[in-house]
Amino acid sequence: MTMEAPVVLWFRRDLRLADHAALHTAAGQAVKGPFTDSKAVKGPFTALVQSGKRVLALYVLDGRLLRPAGVPRTAFLLDSLRELDAALSGRLLVRRGDPVREVVDAAKEIGASAVHVTADLAPYGRKRDAAVAKALAEHGIEWVATGSPYAVTPGRVTKPDGDPYRVFTPFHRAWTRHGWPRPADTSASIVDWVPSKKSLAIPKSPDLGEMRLPPAGEQAALEAWHAFLENGVADYAAERDRPDREGTTRMSAYLRWGAIHPRTMLADLAGDASEGAQALRGELCWREFHADVLWHRPETARQNYDRRFDRMSYDTGPEAEEAFEHWCAGRTGFPIVDAGMRQLLAEGWMHNRVRMVVASFLVKDLHLPWRWGARHFMRHLVDGDLASNQLNWQWVAGSGTDAAPYFRIFNPTTQGQKFDPQGDYVRRYVPELRGVAGKSVHTLKERPEHYPAPMVEHAQERQVALRRYGSITS
């Protein structure tokens, strides 16, 4: 009897074994409808049985992605790889270098008939995958992409005329109508994993100093998600904008690396019509909307979505660079801004409401380019995701998909008073202000000796911003 050729499962942004569409396909199972655009249905796939299919688990450390990743995201990735390797009983093959060379070599070494992946829809991922698929074809090895890191693969939701959506609300309605597949019933046991050979030891994580990151890996993701379902989802709509409380899911880093799939989360929320569940589905949809925008407009990772903003006037020179350094360090003299920037440095994460406040302050109070802030975030965020980061920054800056963008200029003082009413968030991250009681921490009639004065007068800079925006949008 002829032994069936093994296959390679190349892990990328899908560092898990449960609800893994590409693993499902690699195992040789019949898929009930494509994982890319099926309508939402209840219940998991239940037809899976152990197939005995021989699969090599592969991860390639790609310098093109690691170099700009920053310490927090690199550390979380490496910890996630260790967790995945443990779940595979040490059978994860890790290589370092050009994916075109490393993937082809790994496939050839085991005589693989195919390489299976979860599709990568980011600009670099699309180019890299096209090059790898071409190189594999030259050796008679099939390239099989199944599913994506999203509930609905970017490009699947369009207007009736086929054009992409430019505004979130109609996209949200169409995305909800479109639906998504039920979770794939997968685990390590459905295949016979090929032992890794010539594997690179997973590098030691970079020194984080005093930074505190969440535990990495699929098991940690599932535990965090189940804890939120039990204790957080009911209050999510009311609490998610309060940085002084633990009201968010804290699932963003796990979604970034695919330790959990959004399809899993949406399945667990199915049938829950509460305000909290509806709000959370909306937040997941924002992630998918930005991925869809980037898929259609890959240049928006670096360029303005609204090209009128190419004419926008920003401050430059040594004073602008010094102002940017104060913003990065959390030394602006605006307590809510400084708390957010220091949370980023301490945890590799920042509350979403505060992300909007600090971004608005950089672009509309300091008049600095959104790209500067986006680059700083990507260096320090453990959940740094190209689509979400760049397009959220553009949403705040006004150059993105928002229909009426530039009038939204956050007042950092009133934002602090509204969303951190007792000042607990500020005091947690700005030790100079821990002696200031209650809500007065946001106004500071008397400033502690070592806390800086405000860099700017917000009301004045708001008018400057409006004039500059008006000059390009009139």
Side-chain angles (χ1 to χ4, degrees):
M1 185 173 108
T2 303
M3 177 72 71
E4 187 176 2
V7 300
V8 174
L9 178 58
W10 178 19
F11 288 89
R12 290 97 69 84
R13 290 186 55 175
D14 52 354
L15 305 182
R16 66 185 184 281
L17 295 171
D19 189 8
H20 198 301
L23 172 56
H24 185 282
T25 305
Q29 304 296 335
V31 180
K32 299 180 180 179
F35 276 91
T36 53
D37 61 355
S38 299
K39 295 295 182 181
V41 289
K42 295 181 179 179
F45 283 96
T46 56
L48 286 172
V49 294
Q50 186 165 346
S51 66
K53 185 84 173 194
R54 297 172 62 230
V55 177
L56 174 68
L58 172 69
Y59 189 88
V60 179
L61 294 166
D62 182 354
R64 290 282 300 275
L65 294 175
L66 288 174
R67 280 190 293 273
V71 170
R73 201 154 74 254
T74 299
F76 194 80
L77 164 63
L78 296 175
D79 288 346
S80 298
L81 290 177
R82 273 184 276 276
E83 292 298 319
L84 178 61
D85 186 48
L88 293 169
S89 302
R91 289 171 291 189
L92 177 65
L93 174 62
V94 178
R95 296 284 182 86
R96 181 193 293 274
D98 180 358
V100 175
R101 180 185 66 248
E102 298 301 334
V103 174
V104 172
D105 285 353
K108 289 169 59 180
E109 285 169 9
I110 65 167
S113 62
V115 171
H116 291 261
V117 298
T118 300
D120 188 337
L121 287 307
Y124 169 71
R126 291 161 69 177
K127 294 178 182 178
R128 175 204 60 206
D129 286 359
V132 174
K134 180 180 178 182
L136 289 169
E138 293 171 356
H139 295 278
I141 301 170
E142 187 180 6
W143 171 266
V144 184
T146 308
S148 77
Y150 304 97
V152 180
T153 297
R156 298 284 175 178
V157 175
T158 61
K159 298 177 183 178
D161 63 4
D163 286 344
Y165 285 98
R166 297 168 56 92
V167 178
F168 172 73
T169 299
F171 176 88
H172 183 204
R173 288 194 293 264
W175 177 84
T176 302
R177 288 195 304 268
H178 182 283
W180 40 84
R182 49 193 171 183
D185 186 7
T186 58
S187 68
S189 66
I190 68 171
V191 298
D192 178 17
W193 296 97
V194 176
S196 61
K197 296 179 180 179
K198 302 180 183 178
S199 181
L200 173 74
I202 298 172
K204 182 180 178 182
S205 296
D207 184 12
L208 293 169
E210 297 181 357
M211 179 178 286
R212 304 178 303 279
L213 297 184
E218 180 178 13
Q219 187 58 39
L222 292 172
E223 289 176 0
W225 172 237
H226 292 150
F228 178 81
L229 282 176
E230 183 176 351
N231 301 311
V233 69
D235 298 323
Y236 180 73
E239 297 290 290
R240 64 193 174 97
D241 274 329
R242 292 287 299 270
D244 57 331
R245 299 177 179 175
E246 295 297 326
T248 64
T249 67
R250 289 291 191 121
M251 296 299 296
S252 55
Y254 299 120
L255 285 166
R256 167 64 181 83
W257 290 112
I260 191 170
H261 197 282
R263 182 176 52 226
T264 300
M265 300 169 68
L266 288 164
D268 288 339
L269 293 171
D272 187 342
S274 68
E275 289 187 10
Q278 291 182 42
L280 181 49
R281 280 189 286 265
E283 292 302 304
L284 289 170
C285 185
W286 267 109
R287 178 176 180 267
E288 309 234 333
F289 175 58
H290 285 149
D292 189 78
V293 171
L294 187 63
W295 189 85
H296 287 285
R297 298 276 305 275
E299 77 280 3
T300 58
R302 302 288 180 264
Q303 300 176 8
N304 291 312
Y305 180 89
D306 185 341
R307 298 308 299 269
R308 292 179 301 167
F309 282 75
D310 293 350
R311 306 193 305 270
M312 185 70 179
S313 173
Y314 292 108
D315 291 354
T316 59
E319 290 186 3
E321 293 172 4
E322 183 180 3
F324 179 66
E325 291 175 1
H326 285 300
W327 178 83
C328 292
R331 299 285 296 170
T332 70
F334 288 84
I336 192 72
V337 174
D338 293 341
M341 299 308 295
R342 296 192 199 187
Q343 182 183 26
L344 177 62
L345 297 177
E347 300 177 5
W349 186 84
M350 190 191 302
H351 188 279
N352 185 62
R353 166 58 57 171
V354 185
R355 294 188 199 199
M356 292 189 288
V357 173
V358 304
S360 178
F361 186 83
L362 180 79
V363 176
K364 297 175 178 177
D365 284 79
L366 299 183
H367 315 297
L368 300 178
W370 67 262
R371 296 174 187 83
W372 290 16
R375 185 169 56 246
H376 181 75
F377 269 29
M378 288 296 282
R379 287 197 191 109
H380 292 278
L381 282 171
V382 69
D383 62 8
D385 172 86
L386 187 68
S388 294
N389 187 67
Q390 308 301 89
L391 289 162
N392 271 317
W393 268 95
Q394 292 210 50
W395 185 86
V396 172
S399 63
T401 57
D402 194 8
Y406 67 90
F407 296 106
R408 185 190 302 106
I409 299 177
F410 290 109
N411 182 319
T413 301
T414 57
Q415 286 283 308
Q417 291 170 326
K418 181 176 181 180
F419 296 109
D420 182 29
Q422 297 305 313
D424 295 333
Y425 174 76
V426 165
R427 282 186 291 272
R428 187 183 313 156
Y429 294 103
V430 186
E432 305 97 300
L433 301 181
R434 287 176 184 162
V436 182
K439 61 183 179 182
S440 62
V441 76
H442 296 294
T443 51
L444 294 177
K445 294 181 179 179
E446 294 184 7
R447 290 184 172 252
E449 179 181 358
H450 299 293
Y451 187 66
M455 292 177 64
V456 295
E457 170 57 50
H458 171 72
Q460 177 180 331
E461 302 308 328
R462 181 178 185 276
Q463 294 304 315
V464 172
L466 288 173
R467 285 196 298 272
R468 294 190 186 188
Y469 278 97
S471 71
I472 66 168
T473 56
S474 58

